[in-house]
Amino acid sequence: MAGVSAIRGSESRQSPALDTPISNVAFAHELAQRSKADAARAKTPSVVVEKMATPLSGGAAAAALKTAWEARFHESPRPEQLSVLVAQWSHETGGGHAMMNYNFGGIKGTGPSGLTANYVTTEGFGDSERKITDQFRAYRGAAEGAADYLKLLQDHFPGALDGARRGDPAGFVRALKKGGYFTDSEESYVKSVTALTAQARAAGYDAMGHGIGPSASSRTLPLAATVASSASSTSLSLAAVDAVAMADELSRAALRIAAAQSREDG
């Protein structure tokens, strides 16, 4: 998944750009907010669960994001706003085919229910590209995953959320990059999400996925069935590894195509 290896949900690594001065008041406010977040996480023990493919159709992803938007902002998202979010979801999950544990944006760390999953992903691009194993947030269902994704944007990437509100995929991605959300090429990521946004607007949300039935959006992951044993938590199921590898290849192929088109346009 292009960019799935990126910083994303790691609050401890989210910090203002070094060249952006902030007042003592702003610093104190930010420190207080982080302390509250740390305290909240400390109350929720982290549980490692099995990494599980949870594929969604584009329509199911859009429905979950629409519901989460309405719950958080008390208004329905306009089609141009929702298209940007669905486009990034599609980019990050290989069109929903390799979505893991209902994680909408490859967010690292522990989910609000204390669930996390370990798997291999790709950091960087070009000469700096490397494979690592990291922890990613896991969710009990699509509704929880979509809600946490929007909370992350609002709390840590407000500039990106503003871009989504404007229906501006390029502004959305550039704000994510500035905030440290991903390590891939910014220009290639912009090209990919912009193209996917246009596809969503022209052909509908289901054109963004792989035809997975919408019933997947209501499926939940029973905690008892997903908690990894001490023996299995150190290994990855073959099916899950294949799905992640497929998502990596799909997204990185899209990035390579976008980069090539950029060179031709130049």
Side-chain angles (χ1 to χ4, degrees):
M1 284 167 273
V4 162
S5 57
I7 294 171
R8 290 172 175 72
S10 181
E11 285 83 355
S12 63
R13 296 158 73 180
Q14 303 298 333
S15 59
L18 294 179
D19 59 351
T20 304
I22 59 176
S23 68
N24 289 335
V25 173
F27 177 78
H29 176 72
E30 175 67 13
L31 186 60
Q33 290 299 106
R34 293 187 185 184
S35 295
K36 290 180 182 178
D38 289 341
R41 285 194 298 274
K43 294 178 182 178
T44 306
S46 179
V47 177
V48 178
V49 300
E50 179 184 356
K51 178 165 61 69
M52 181 179 296
T54 52
L56 292 181
S57 68
L65 288 167
K66 179 177 182 293
T67 298
W69 184 288
E70 290 169 345
R72 179 158 290 273
F73 303 120
H74 308 292
E75 62 180 17
S76 292
R78 299 192 304 274
E80 61 269 26
Q81 296 172 333
L82 191 56
S83 293
V84 173
L85 301 180
V86 177
Q88 197 218 358
W89 160 83
S90 181
H91 176 89
E92 288 286 353
T93 64
H97 185 82
M99 185 181 194
M100 295 293 157
N101 299 86
Y102 295 110
N103 193 322
F104 273 72
I107 307 171
K108 288 186 176 181
T110 301
S113 298
L115 308 182
T116 187
N118 299 318
Y119 44 94
V120 177
T121 187
T122 304
E123 285 277 8
F125 67 98
D127 293 339
S128 66
E129 184 175 310
R130 64 191 188 281
K131 298 285 186 183
I132 65 168
T133 298
D134 215 332
Q135 288 191 322
F136 291 83
R137 299 187 191 187
Y139 305 94
R140 295 169 296 181
E144 185 179 70
D148 194 46
Y149 166 73
L150 283 182
K151 182 179 187 302
L152 177 74
L153 293 181
Q154 184 180 34
D155 290 350
H156 298 286
F157 302 93
L161 185 59
D162 287 343
R165 287 185 179 278
R166 296 192 304 271
D168 175 13
F172 173 76
V173 171
R174 294 191 192 285
L176 289 178
K177 180 66 172 181
K178 184 176 181 181
Y181 186 97
F182 63 91
T183 59
D184 285 327
S185 162
E186 179 178 340
E187 294 306 314
S188 295
Y189 202 115
V190 166
K191 285 266 189 181
S192 175
V193 174
T194 298
L196 288 167
T197 300
Q199 183 182 7
R201 293 177 182 178
Y205 301 121
D206 275 329
M208 314 299 294
H210 290 267
I212 307 301
S215 60
S217 64
S218 61
R219 199 177 82 209
T220 59
L221 302 182
L223 180 60
T226 58
V227 175
S229 67
S230 59
S232 63
S233 62
T234 59
S235 63
L236 303 177
S237 71
L238 180 59
V241 170
D242 288 345
V244 171
M246 181 181 294
D248 269 336
E249 288 305 314
L250 286 171
S251 292
R252 289 188 175 272
L255 289 170
R256 288 193 293 272
I257 292 170
Q261 289 176 339
S262 180
R263 289 194 296 270
E264 290 175 1
D265 294 343

